[in-house]
Amino acid sequence: MEPLEHDDPRSLGGHRILARLGSGATAVVYLGRSRGGRLVAVKVVHAERARRPEARDHFVREVAATAAAGGVHSPPVVGADPDGRVPWMATEFVPSVPLHEAVERFGPLPGPSVRRLAAGLAEALVAVHRAGVVHRDVKPANVLLTADGPKLVDFGIAAAAQPAALAGTPGFMSPEQVAGAPAGPASDVYSLGSTLAYACARAGTGDDAPPGSAPDPDDAALRTLIADCRRLDPAERPTPAELGERLARDPGPGTPPAAWLPAPVLAAIDAHAGEAANPPLAPSGSPRRRLLLGAAAAVAAGAGAAVLLALREDGQRPPAEGNASPAARGSTPPSGRPEPEPETEPPPEPVTVEFALTGDGPVEKLTYAVNRKPETLKDVSLPWRKTVKVPRENGSAAYSLDLSHHGEITYEVRVDGRQVMSQRSPAPGIPAAVRGPGPYSAEAGGEVAFGAPPGDTGA
């Protein structure tokens, strides 16, 4: 998640735009908030692409396909204007981690997690195909892992009127897609099988898949299910509904965990939710004001406060040397008594950013940062607190925490006594037998804006 850039929209369709979630070849996706406080993901077509009629037609079909597929396993569309001057679509924002990122960061998913993933994606494809839509690009990057289950996203290729040859992602495309033949619902099943193989083994899925081992040998049923999905003949592949029935009949070895994902993945999802609750702030103030303030600071260092007056935005200049006041020339005024020194206001109190860790511990390593100035500690005893002062004229404070620990801990951040973040690690609800002995990793961050000092009108 990145702060907004200068030319990014600040509102669309009644949604306040808060931050950038990502950018691709065709569109930018923003984090937004509705008037009622609902977080949404707003996809906006690039301006140069929006000027092409065929691209606009494609986006109209994409909105229709996304709306038709929206449901439990695909974020629903909550608003759209594909024909507007700025074409956009808003879907429900879901705190999540893409499947490919989870595997790259934390390793293959355990068998029970892959089975839950398979069941959720099979349900998603049942709904998608029932709506008359073929996704055509089922792959790890288009699968979001959430605390409640997987979500299938990005119906851009599904919306294509006449998909070009090789429309899809190498390594996850069906043989018929590679051959340039029409891709029906069975093609999505093949891609689902490749996606499941990536999730549990990271092997045999093409160039996009890092090296790894075979699927869990103790779960023969899962291994067979993946192989059946990836049969060369589309007619021999099970339908999504049949996949769901097979997974329901055979729950697999072991007892399914209360939380369907490993603790580090759930912690990453929790961190994403915290980041969305405190999105990074865009730079404030007009470009002209920022330029003047920066120039004023440079002049003050080299030429004294008198020259600063030349940079005032009201256009007034300092008096010329010949017209300078007696005080400015260092002489005594006519009264013979020196004029009193002008009173200066004391500097405003700085803002206090406080970090606090409580719980069992121990904490092996802790890195905390305010305004991107990190400090690293090792073997930290709990409870632990640290206070950092930030000049109020800064206008905001960015904070972050990154730690490795054992046991259960709670980490909090307060700004001037107001709590802006409170999270637990490992995530609540994960039995100790499932999450293992640790160590666990946790990271979180955000940015808080605060009022300007008295007398700063922000002009």
Side-chain angles (χ1 to χ4, degrees), residues 96-103 140-145:
S96 59
V97 174
L99 174 59
H100 75 286
E101 181 181 326
V103 172
N142 287 338
V143 175
L144 302 182
L145 304 181

Side-chain angles (χ1 to χ4, degrees), residues 412-423:
E412 299 178 334
V413 177
R414 294 178 179 273
V415 176
D416 274 352
R418 178 174 62 91
Q419 185 179 85
V420 297
M421 185 190 72
S422 179
Q423 298 183 24

Side-chain angles (χ1 to χ4, degrees), residues 8-251:
D8 284 331
R10 266 41 182 184
S11 65
L12 276 175
H15 300 94
R16 182 187 174 197
I17 305 301
L18 304 174
R20 278 178 164 241
L21 292 174
S23 179
T26 64
V28 180
V29 181
Y30 299 100
L31 175 69
R33 191 187 303 277
S34 71
R35 292 188 180 98
R38 183 182 194 180
L39 288 176
V40 293
V42 184
K43 185 173 186 177
V44 179
V45 178
H46 288 313
E48 63 275 10
R49 184 174 174 82
R51 288 191 286 267
R52 294 158 44 193
E54 70 277 9
R56 277 185 172 269
D57 291 343
H58 178 276
F59 190 61
V60 169
R61 292 192 298 270
E62 181 179 350
V63 171
T66 306
V72 176
H73 292 291
S74 187
V77 175
V78 298
D81 186 7
D83 296 316
R85 184 180 63 84
V86 178
W88 62 273
M89 170 177 61
T91 57
E92 179 185 9
F93 173 77
V94 182
S96 59
V97 174
L99 174 59
H100 75 286
E101 181 181 326
V103 172
E104 289 171 1
R105 290 177 59 187
F106 307 113
L109 297 180
S113 296
V114 177
R115 298 182 70 84
R116 172 74 178 273
L117 175 68
L121 292 179
E123 287 184 18
L125 289 180
V126 168
V128 168
H129 296 163
R130 186 186 296 126
V133 176
V134 179
H135 191 283
R136 296 194 180 103
D137 200 20
V138 178
K139 61 181 180 180
N142 287 338
V143 175
L144 302 182
L145 304 181
T146 80
D148 298 325
K151 304 282 186 182
L152 183 61
V153 297
D154 196 347
F155 290 81
I157 294 180
Q162 295 179 339
L166 296 179
T169 301
F172 298 93
M173 295 163 58
S174 65
E176 54 268 33
Q177 281 180 288
V178 174
S187 177
D188 284 347
V189 172
Y190 184 95
S191 299
L192 170 61
S194 296
T195 298
L196 297 176
Y198 180 96
C200 66
R202 301 186 293 175
T205 57
D207 295 339
D208 273 7
S213 57
D216 185 352
D218 294 331
D219 196 343
L222 178 59
R223 199 170 57 217
T224 301
L225 181 143
I226 292 174
D228 288 346
C229 288
R230 302 173 72 191
R231 291 185 180 276
L232 295 180
D233 185 350
E236 295 182 358
R237 299 169 199 156
T239 66
E242 290 170 346
L243 290 174
E245 293 172 0
R246 287 171 60 172
L247 290 163
R249 287 196 305 267
D250 182 7

Side-chain angles (χ1 to χ4, degrees), residues 281-385:
L281 298 178
S284 59
S286 69
R288 179 170 180 264
R289 173 171 172 78
R290 289 197 297 271
L291 176 61
L292 290 172
L293 291 177
V299 172
V307 185
L308 282 176
L309 297 176
L311 298 174
R312 286 175 50 184
E313 290 191 282
D314 57 13
Q316 297 179 11
R317 291 186 170 273
E321 178 63 27
N323 298 325
S325 66
R329 293 195 300 263
S331 60
T332 303
S335 64
R337 295 188 301 272
E339 293 184 353
E341 291 292 331
E343 294 184 3
T344 58
E345 294 185 0
E349 288 292 327
V351 174
T352 300
V353 179
E354 181 183 18
F355 300 93
L357 271 64
T358 57
D360 303 330
V363 175
E364 293 182 347
K365 185 178 180 181
L366 163 66
T367 300
Y368 67 93
V370 174
N371 290 339
R372 296 166 184 83
K373 296 179 180 178
E375 295 287 343
T376 299
L377 306 174
K378 293 185 177 181
D379 300 325
V380 179
S381 300
L382 300 184
W384 173 85
R385 293 182 182 275

Side-chain angles (χ1 to χ4, degrees), residues 356-357 401 409-413 421-425 442-444:
L357 271 64
L401 275 170
I409 67 166
T410 297
Y411 45 103
E412 299 178 334
V413 177
M421 185 190 72
S422 179
Q423 298 183 24
R424 287 176 55 191
S425 179
E443 56 181 330

